[in-house]
Amino acid sequence: MRKKQWGSGLLAVAGFLLYLLINEPQTAYGMHIMEGFLPVKWAVFWWVVFVPFFVLGLRSIRRITKERPEAKLMLGLAGAFTFVLSALKIPSVTGSSSHPTGTGFGAIVFGPLVMSVLGALVLLFQALLLAHGGLTTLGANAMSMAVIGPFVAYGIYRVVMKANGSQKIAIFLAAALGDLATYVVTSLQLALAFPAASGGVAASFMKFAGIFAITQIPLAISEGLLTVLVWNWLQSYNRTELEEIQSLQKRGA
């Protein structure tokens, strides 16, 4: 009996060692712009540009949760939605990846500044917990995904709604175009850091944006449709709280 137990134990250890050998950690290239890819001056520049938005986002979250503590649950949902969608990374051009962003939903519900915090935390968790890399480039990635994308999504949503458009169409366009805007900005960031020898920044931007557009369009459409489905679900089961939070952020939160 004891020999049998020893044999089972050795087999378990051998299996565990084999698992570790096969799954040896590799260098991570999961972020929009991977760890160490940007020259130092550009990495620092994007951090400096991003920090004020993060501070304003913290102020906005503090105001929302102070006036409506129950909004914390919805904030968690917006963060989780962004985390899950943006973790679905697809390899793209060298030093980058494509994936849905999930930031449009939170921008519509809470306003774009809130997403500067939630989006940055999502990127940080993915860098630390999922080994997606991107700590030095977090400022650049946060600017594209957690700032510019949400601002574009929120602006499109407001414009379409003001034009008396369908709310579902407004949500779809906001989520899809906010997603695409993220990758346009990423293309610009890469072009600024690595201008082409012939044609400079403009030629480099066309190259990066051309590749991103092909891979990102179906992802953006998918994100738009999924965001509409989630919105419909919330309206069916939590309409009152959803409307109250939107009313709060319109008053300047």
Side-chain angles (χ1 to χ4, degrees), residues 2 22 43 51 67-68 72 77 79-80 115 119 138 145 153 173 175 193 201 217 244 252:
R2 180 168 293 180
I22 293 175
V51 167
E67 295 190 30
R68 294 197 63 81
K72 293 177 182 176
L77 175 63
M115 292 313 297
L138 185 61
M145 193 183 101
L173 290 175
V201 172
I217 286 176
E244 289 176 350

Side-chain angles (χ1 to χ4, degrees), residues 14 33 79 144 158 192 211:
I33 302 175
S144 62
R158 299 297 303 165
L192 288 171
I211 297 174

